[in-house]
Amino acid sequence: MNYYSLHHKSPNTTFKNAVVQGLAKDRGIYFPENITPLSKEFIENIENYTNHEIAYEAIKQFVGDEIPTSILKEIIEKTVSFDFPLVTIDENIASLELFHGPTMAFKDVGAKFMAQCLEYFNQGNEEEVTVLVATSGDTGGAVANGFLGAKGVNVVILYPSGKVSDIQEKQLTTLGQNITALEVDGVFDDCQEMVKTAFLDEEITKKLTSANSINIARWLPQMFYFFFAYKALKSKNKELVFSVPSGNFGNICAGIMAQKLGLPIKHFVAATNVNDTVPNFLVDGVYTPKPSKATISNAMDVGNPSNFIRIRELFNNDLETLKSAFSSYSFTDDETRETMKKIYDNSGYVADPHGAVGYLGLKKYGLKENEFGVFLETAHPVKFLDVVEETLPVKVEIPEQIQKVINNKKVAIKASSYKDLKAYLMK
Ligand SMILES: *Cc1c(COP(=O)(O)O)cnc(C)c1O
């Protein structure tokens, strides 16, 4: 499969190049040349397929013949190695829990898939690839874990000192091997700026790539969640509405891709916190990116969502068609906290702040008689322990995955400016 740059100023390229480069030379993100719907027969009989088979069917056309079938199947087995349970909250609403992976963030799936693809493509090359990633919390842990031990791949994670939770810090600083953590004296934006500077620095001769959701290998496997949920809910015979707590809009964009592949989904709701660039766009068709604002659902504090351009492409850049299948609503921290309480009081379910924003999206949309709503629960409550325990009368149990890293020793290199990152990369 070939991919084109959404800035339309770079030549089309292969799956392999798109994965290895991350971004096109014209700084545009990549989009597949073709999207061919899966057979009706497959969708109608989806309950007869295993999750591994479904994931393979969903992704195979996007990889094409660039990874042999047997290896792609192995990659999928390593990626889809945990459950994605649906928990019913109300009569017509369920939570799709995406947090049962190794770092308890939904980004585990994309990170693992991308790591495996990169390892495959770099096989036999003398030169190692260096993955540079800036994180405000969740991405770093998922990337560290997903890439751990990948041969020929080095990972450098930049995180803002004192601005990620203790658990998140342990997840990205204790693994060792091919994972290096740089503890940056600054905020997330400083980390991101350092990464961008490194990509443009011609004195750095190392092969660099990025591991955020602009990379097609991190973005596309997120389609799997929607197929798995459809399989589980098909027998209800209801029309499905998905609400996705959104920051960079990679996850929801993958859902729309699944719909393009023929999955019967009635409507999508992109639920955001007060970082409301997309909800505003839907009102007047003017896209105005803004600096991000800090909220309690901080994995979605994004003022200029990088995947939204892919969503517009999926609807041929037509606002009216987009609006018929897609809504987007913004919610405040107060509304989020109130909703966490309401969900807990009504059902005993402990939602993290991101999941609660997703739930609010369904409420605002207003489900009809024949519709069933699914919100994506993107993080385990333990990842946002402070907010959850302040808001709800609960004590969150620390799951085994987290227990394992919590007592390990943090190892990080201090960095106060780009000079320090450069010195590390030039070593
Ligand atoms: C990354 C993240 C999101 C946002 O996902 P996007 O694909 O960037 O929209 C939501 N919730 C959590 C917990 C996350 O880590």
Side-chain angles (χ1 to χ4, degrees):
M1 167 70 74
N2 278 346
Y3 290 79
Y4 57 93
S5 159
L6 287 173
H7 284 179
H8 305 285
K9 292 195 178 72
S10 284
N12 293 10
T13 196
T14 58
F15 176 73
K16 173 180 172 174
N17 279 339
V19 173
V20 174
Q21 289 173 25
L23 207 60
K25 292 244 158 38
D26 64 5
R27 315 298 296 160
I29 63 177
Y30 281 114
F31 196 84
E33 273 183 359
N34 298 301
I35 302 169
T36 309
L38 306 181
S39 76
K40 278 216 169 59
E41 196 269 332
F42 169 74
I43 307 263
E44 280 166 11
N45 295 291
I46 199 163
E47 63 274 25
N48 299 329
Y49 292 83
T50 65
N51 279 0
H52 290 159
E53 289 166 342
I54 293 169
Y56 175 71
E57 288 302 316
I59 202 112
K60 70 176 183 197
Q61 64 175 292
F62 299 103
V63 177
D65 57 7
E66 295 178 54
I67 298 179
T69 301
S70 61
I71 294 181
L72 182 57
K73 286 186 172 168
E74 270 171 39
I75 291 177
I76 287 170
E77 274 169 37
K78 288 184 190 153
T79 302
V80 181
S81 58
F82 49 92
D83 291 333
F84 305 87
L86 273 156
V87 181
T88 305
I89 307 287
D90 293 354
E91 184 195 339
N92 58 352
I93 292 183
S95 162
L96 176 62
E97 295 186 346
L98 305 181
F99 57 67
H100 294 274
T103 75
M104 316 215 84
F106 84 91
K107 293 182 172 76
D108 281 332
V109 163
K112 189 78 188 178
F113 188 84
M114 181 185 159
Q116 302 274 317
C117 289
L118 207 54
E119 182 174 9
Y120 175 77
F121 289 136
N122 211 42
Q123 242 176 34
N125 284 356
E126 302 242 318
E127 197 192 343
E128 294 189 316
V129 191
T130 300
V131 173
L132 271 188
V133 60
T135 182
S136 57
D138 263 5
T139 304
V143 167
N145 195 282
F147 283 77
L148 184 67
K151 286 187 209 70
V153 185
N154 273 316
V155 177
V156 181
I157 300 170
L158 289 85
Y159 73 98
S161 180
K163 307 254 171 5
V164 304
S165 75
D166 290 348
I167 289 173
Q168 288 172 332
E169 184 172 41
K170 284 292 170 82
Q171 286 184 319
L172 59 94
T173 58
T174 60
L175 296 180
Q177 295 185 45
N178 58 332
I179 313 294
T180 304
L182 250 60
E183 180 177 3
V184 175
D185 181 16
V187 295
F188 169 67
D189 294 336
D190 299 317
C191 300
Q192 195 148 40
E193 206 45 51
M194 285 164 69
V195 169
K196 281 193 191 147
T197 310
F199 278 112
L200 298 174
D201 189 335
E202 286 174 2
E203 280 169 35
I204 293 175
T205 51
K206 277 203 170 93
K207 219 193 301 171
L208 299 180
T209 190
S210 79
N212 56 31
S213 57
I214 58 168
N215 196 302
I216 53 167
R218 243 205 72 191
W219 166 53
L220 289 170
Q222 300 177 133
M223 293 187 297
F224 304 161
Y225 313 138
F226 300 85
F227 281 92
F228 299 163
Y230 175 71
K231 171 181 160 182
L233 294 169
K234 186 167 167 262
S235 61
K236 284 194 185 290
N237 278 321
K238 295 261 177 127
E239 296 194 289
L240 296 186
V241 176
F242 282 94
S243 176
V244 185
S246 297
N248 259 323
F249 285 64
N251 205 2
I252 191 162
C253 184
I256 301 169
M257 288 288 284
Q259 185 190 40
K260 278 258 167 186
L261 291 182
L263 201 66
I265 297 172
K266 173 80 181 299
H267 199 83
F268 287 95
V269 181
T272 74
N273 55 32
V274 292
N275 292 285
D276 56 3
T277 303
V278 172
N280 289 343
F281 170 80
L282 290 190
V283 173
D284 57 12
V286 183
Y287 186 82
T288 316
K290 294 189 274 198
S292 63
K293 296 190 194 103
T295 74
I296 57 169
S297 49
N298 62 28
M300 316 197 288
D301 293 352
V302 181
N304 186 11
S306 44
N307 286 286
F308 190 59
I309 185 170
R310 283 183 173 139
I311 295 181
R312 291 169 73 175
E313 188 77 1
L314 278 162
F315 291 97
N316 299 320
N317 293 298
D318 184 74
L319 184 60
E320 290 316 309
T321 334
L322 171 64
K323 283 205 295 210
S324 65
F326 177 95
S327 309
S328 188
Y329 309 118
S330 140
F331 303 97
T332 65
D333 280 356
D334 283 348
E335 289 171 304
T336 306
R337 279 206 175 83
E338 255 169 55
T339 299
M340 289 166 68
K341 286 192 194 121
K342 213 176 91 192
I343 296 173
Y344 182 75
D345 289 344
N346 291 344
S347 67
Y349 189 75
V350 179
D352 98 296
H354 302 78
V357 169
Y359 178 91
L360 274 165
L362 289 174
K363 288 289 160 181
K364 179 110 177 197
Y365 165 80
L367 291 163
K368 286 148 211 95
E369 191 69 48
N370 59 336
E371 293 175 346
F372 191 85
V374 177
F375 69 92
L376 276 54
E377 182 40 293
T378 45
H380 189 286
V382 78
K383 300 294 288 285
F384 298 89
L385 198 60
D386 297 355
V387 184
V388 172
E389 292 189 345
E390 268 163 36
T391 311
L392 303 178
V394 295
K395 187 100 191 71
V396 180
E397 244 184 74
I398 313 280
E400 192 192 336
Q401 289 101 308
I402 306 291
Q403 287 287 5
K404 267 205 295 214
V405 295
I406 223 160
N407 297 319
N408 290 349
K409 192 173 167 331
K410 161 184 162 185
V411 180
I413 299 172
K414 298 253 185 205
S416 54
S417 70
Y418 176 66
K419 239 179 46 231
D420 299 323
L421 171 63
K422 183 163 180 172
Y424 178 79
L425 292 174
M426 306 270 287
K427 258 199 329 207

